[in-house]
Amino acid sequence: MPQRKQNFMEGAAVLTLAVAVTKVLGAVYKIPLGNLLDKDGMAHFYVAYNIYSLLLIVSTAGLPLALSRLVSQAEARGRVNQRKRIFRVTLGLFCLLGVVCSAVMLLFAKPLSRALRDSQAALAIRVLAPAVFCVCILSAIRGYTQGRGNMLPTAVSQIIESACKLTVGLTVAWLLVRQGAEPGRCAAGAISGVTVGAATGLAVLTVWLLRSRSGQRGTDVPQSRREILRRVLQIGVPVTLGSVGMSLITLLDQALVLGTLQSSLGLSEANAAALYGEYTFGMTLFALPASFMYPLTISLVPSISAATAAGRGETAAQNAASALKLAMVVALPVGVGMSVLAGPILHLLYPAVPQTAEAAAYHLRILGIASVFVCLMIATAGILQAYGKERIPVITLLVGGGVKIAANYLLVTDPTISIHGAPIGTLLCYAVIAELNLLAIVRVVPHRLGLGGAAGKLLLSTAAMAAAARGGYGLLSRHMGSGCATLLSILAAGAVYVLLVLCLEVLRREEILQLPKGEKLAKFLFKS
């Protein structure tokens, strides 16, 4: 059965739509969860989830990208047997990594939770253990289909995975809270949805893979399994090291914050976890803009790799420029909007825990700006990786991580700052990484990207949007409830931003033409 391929813009659109749906499902999952578990339960939830994220990145960060890149190159050259062998070799590697990482979480749950100064998170860590293995296999299949230019299987499996996580996680958490279970047990029940969702997504994608097999045979002689494994590791390991470095730094940062609150400031484990829980309420929304960048990067890497392999350097540079521009079109309004309306948004989302929402508003004001730099970091790292410069993002991540740990150590230990120093360290970290990556792109990409004009227009549009959001809320909140005022001010600010982006032609006619049905859209938006 032949696969339907998408170009870069189509692939990015498919994955972005999937992420939009999964983020809506994720919001329906995490926002009620915050109201159910409050800051204590959410602290245990995130301690377990951060360990899971680290081991997941060890298993899946760089290797799916390497698989996607090698498969796209083989596909562009018509090497059918090479493409099939790349997938089989990488799938075996993923199975091994999944077994090892799941075993670590299952067997060492208590030592891991104690090391992170939160002993009540052990049960949640065990519940998450099988999810690592499932996601490893999922990542192999997704990397293969993405390398072949088909983003639809990834999109569908992500939506199914999120739907199962929502249904199971919220149901189990609600039942446990009603029974009066302790916060650690409630967090484990909530996080069980992640494991069930990963297993269901894997089952669906496996069925799709088996049904989509074709009898296509190639005449090419594939490389040896050893050579393929060497190439996969050569590309994937640097990316993995960089990603693991950031996740490891996040874990160390978490342990440092919790440890400092207990040792330097004299708080109990429960009180320290409660303060860290307030910080996680801001972190939940902080991660939202970045989630829209990953599908862009996933579609970008095989697109640039295939273009450079075919000697089309200008096409590769155009895709890189479009990726950076689209990243900023999404990141600036969302990040700045969260910052200027931090308090109203959190009170709207968490009405059952108003004190926690008020305390988390400070964190979100800073983290909203930090999320813009996170999006830039993801997009620029994807461009560097696509151009074969995998080591550069590793170095910049480690530099930024060092800045984060140093800043948090200096700020959190100050009793007058305490937990309020954590988001400042996060902002400094990602700002440094994004700036270093951008400087590297200037040197790496052989063609000029020409983004200066678009950047100025986007900043102007974002400033107008922020003024509309803050002014609109201030005016509306005098005449109606805070919730309605927040929603209306967000809608008004979004309308202002979209109109300015279109009027200033931030996305030019030739870029719109790359989209599906782009000619009709361009004529509608740019009538001459």
Side-chain angles (χ1 to χ4, degrees), residues 8-63:
F8 161 60
M9 296 297 285
E10 289 175 328
V14 168
L15 290 178
T16 302
L17 178 61
V19 167
V21 175
T22 58
K23 285 297 121 181
V24 170
L25 294 174
V28 176
Y29 171 57
K30 284 189 177 178
I31 291 170
L33 201 60
N35 286 294
L36 276 172
L37 303 183
D38 202 1
K39 55 190 177 184
D40 299 306
M42 289 304 288
H44 306 319
F45 179 94
Y46 272 100
V47 167
Y49 199 84
N50 286 340
I51 295 173
Y52 164 74
S53 297
L54 172 63
L55 294 179
L56 197 63
I57 288 172
V58 170
S59 309
T60 64
L63 297 179

Side-chain angles (χ1 to χ4, degrees), residues 387-412:
Y387 274 95
K389 304 296 181 181
E390 297 90 356
R391 289 180 175 81
I392 295 178
V394 175
I395 297 170
T396 59
L397 278 166
L398 294 176
V399 171
V403 169
K404 180 176 182 178
I405 290 179
N408 282 0
Y409 182 79
L410 293 172
L411 296 172
V412 177

Side-chain angles (χ1 to χ4, degrees), residues 337-338 340-349 468-470 472-478 480-494:
M338 286 193 302
V340 298
L341 291 177
I345 289 172
L346 287 169
H347 280 288
L348 174 66
L349 297 178
R470 194 64 216 176
Y473 177 77
L475 179 65
L476 292 171
S477 61
R478 299 173 188 171
M480 61 182 67
S482 177
C484 291
T486 302
L487 290 173
L488 289 175
S489 60
I490 290 173
L491 292 174

